[in-house]
Amino acid sequence: QITTVSGNEFLLQSDIDFLILDWFHAIKNAIDRLLRRSSSIELLNSLDTESKEPKPENRKSLIFRLNYSASDTNDRNRVKSRLKKFISRRPSLKTLQEKGLIKDQIFGSHLHLVCEHEKSTVPQFVRLCIKAVERRGLDVDGIYRVSGNLATIQKLRFVVNQEEKLNLDDSQWEDIHVVTGALKMFFRELPEPLFPYCFFEQFVEAIKIQDNATRIKSIRGLVNKLPRPNYDTMKILFEHLKKIAAKESVNLMSTQSLGIVFGPTLLRPEKETGKKKVHMLYQNQIVELMKKKYSKIFGSEED
């Protein structure tokens, strides 16, 4: 731990003892060299006008408080041993959930399970994020492309998983990129993507169709075959992305940009193959088409 004169604190940490020791000596030598430099502004300011020597108390103030701690190997081994015993005895996640000590997770759960738990066909978290973005993020430059602070996104993820109520208007979620980052994370962490695995190849074959009207009709047919939670969540999401693209002149997020952001997030093959780059191209194109032709794909037959 290093504490500077101005009160700033820095913590350098490692599990490797000799590495910590190297850091300690390197920093200590740097401090010693700084004190020896007669041209140092801090040193000159600390000189006593009579003796021209640094006052003892001022000299001490120039020295960083440097604390070095290398873990004792035996202590560390004892801690590891106790942790292993604790982990081996701890109850399973299923047991904790059955006892009500841990609620069902939102992130990382299957879409249909989240919807069943909430008695809905669209996860409440998805609705809240879309509502927040449309209220205060449509005009934001790079919306969905710019990354939010990962630590804050993880904090939001934890809150969503542990609490029933969520207020995205709270000041801690003020950065709209945190909200968009959490929404993308939700879709990425679905055990099965929004476009189910069994539909992946069918959507890829459909986007390859050359005739535009036939291509749209084929995509529409596949979308209508999706499970209800997938269909309804997809519908509200693509309606939202359509609104984002409508503000392209302000937020600089084109249909193509949104396709690049959401393509790999929303649909992917169950097993990666050597066609990853080719698949990515089709993934982006599918998202672009469904947003561009939203009314024809999700509208009524008469539309």
Side-chain angles (χ1 to χ4, degrees):
Q1 179 183 339
I2 307 171
T3 305
T4 67
V5 178
S6 58
N8 294 318
E9 293 187 352
F10 302 89
L11 180 65
L12 306 180
Q13 189 169 340
S14 173
D15 292 331
I16 305 173
D17 292 347
F18 72 82
L19 184 59
I20 302 174
L21 193 58
D22 286 345
W23 291 347
F24 175 80
H25 288 310
I27 297 169
K28 185 175 184 300
N29 291 337
I31 294 172
D32 291 340
R33 285 197 304 272
L34 179 64
L35 290 173
R36 288 196 297 267
R37 286 174 54 186
S38 60
S39 60
S40 169
I41 296 175
E42 290 87 351
L43 189 58
L44 286 173
N45 288 340
S46 71
L47 290 176
D48 179 78
T49 54
E50 295 181 0
S51 64
K52 299 301 180 185
E53 290 293 329
K55 292 181 179 179
E57 62 272 18
N58 286 336
R59 181 177 176 82
K60 287 181 181 178
S61 71
L62 288 174
I63 301 177
F64 293 73
R65 292 193 298 279
L66 186 61
N67 301 320
Y68 160 63
S69 170
S71 301
D72 179 77
T73 304
N74 292 331
D75 288 344
R76 189 163 63 244
N77 289 338
R78 281 196 295 270
V79 171
K80 286 183 179 179
S81 177
R82 289 176 182 175
L83 282 174
K84 285 180 181 178
K85 290 180 181 178
F86 170 76
I87 292 172
S88 65
R89 291 198 303 263
R90 69 177 183 173
S92 66
L93 176 61
K94 184 178 180 180
T95 302
L96 292 174
Q97 288 175 333
E98 290 174 350
K99 291 182 178 179
L101 298 176
I102 294 182
K103 69 185 290 290
D104 293 333
Q105 304 289 286
I106 302 299
F107 281 76
S109 293
H110 284 275
L111 183 65
H112 71 278
L113 294 178
V114 175
C115 291
E116 285 175 11
H117 175 71
E118 297 180 350
K119 295 179 174 57
S120 158
T121 55
V122 179
Q124 181 66 13
F125 177 67
V126 173
R127 291 185 184 275
L128 289 173
C129 287
I130 288 175
K131 184 178 179 182
V133 174
E134 292 183 357
R135 188 171 60 253
R136 51 190 175 96
L138 291 180
D139 296 336
V140 175
D141 184 0
I143 192 71
Y144 283 113
R145 185 184 70 244
V146 176
S147 301
N149 180 274
L150 183 57
T152 310
I153 292 173
Q154 291 288 6
K155 182 180 179 182
L156 176 54
R157 178 182 184 276
F158 176 81
V159 170
V160 172
N161 275 340
Q162 298 301 321
E163 298 181 10
E164 292 292 339
K165 292 184 179 180
L166 174 67
N167 179 18
L168 289 178
D169 289 328
D170 191 291
S171 59
Q172 60 185 324
W173 321 126
E174 181 179 4
D175 181 4
I176 197 63
H177 297 303
V178 167
V179 177
T180 58
L183 181 60
K184 288 187 292 183
M185 181 181 286
F186 170 81
F187 284 114
R188 278 199 307 272
E189 292 191 1
L190 287 174
E192 186 170 31
L194 187 60
F195 289 71
Y197 288 130
C198 61
F199 282 85
F200 180 80
E201 292 297 338
Q202 297 177 65
F203 273 101
V204 169
E205 291 303 315
I207 201 67
K208 291 179 182 179
I209 298 173
Q210 294 299 312
D211 181 69
N212 189 50
T214 307
R215 181 167 62 244
I216 294 172
K217 183 178 180 181
S218 180
I219 294 286
R220 176 188 172 92
L222 289 172
V223 168
N224 286 329
K225 291 179 182 178
L226 293 171
R228 199 71 205 176
N230 298 71
Y231 178 90
D232 287 353
T233 302
M234 198 177 291
K235 184 176 181 180
I236 193 175
L237 177 63
F238 277 96
E239 183 181 16
H240 170 62
L241 296 181
K242 185 180 176 183
K243 293 177 182 178
I244 296 289
K247 290 276 194 174
E248 178 185 353
S249 60
V250 182
N251 60 38
L252 305 180
M253 288 300 290
S254 64
T255 296
Q256 185 178 20
S257 298
L258 290 169
I260 293 172
V261 170
F262 280 94
T265 299
L266 300 180
L267 71 159
R268 58 185 180 272
E270 187 168 8
K271 294 182 179 179
E272 290 293 350
T273 64
K275 300 179 180 179
K276 186 173 182 179
K277 290 185 178 179
V278 177
H279 281 160
M280 188 174 294
L281 175 64
Y282 292 137
Q283 289 163 329
N284 300 350
Q285 289 177 350
I286 291 167
V287 170
E288 289 178 42
L289 178 70
M290 290 180 63
K291 189 183 63 58
K292 277 183 179 180
K293 303 300 180 181
Y294 173 84
S295 298
K296 291 186 177 181
I297 292 173
F298 292 98
S300 63
E301 290 290 346
E302 290 75 16
D303 294 338

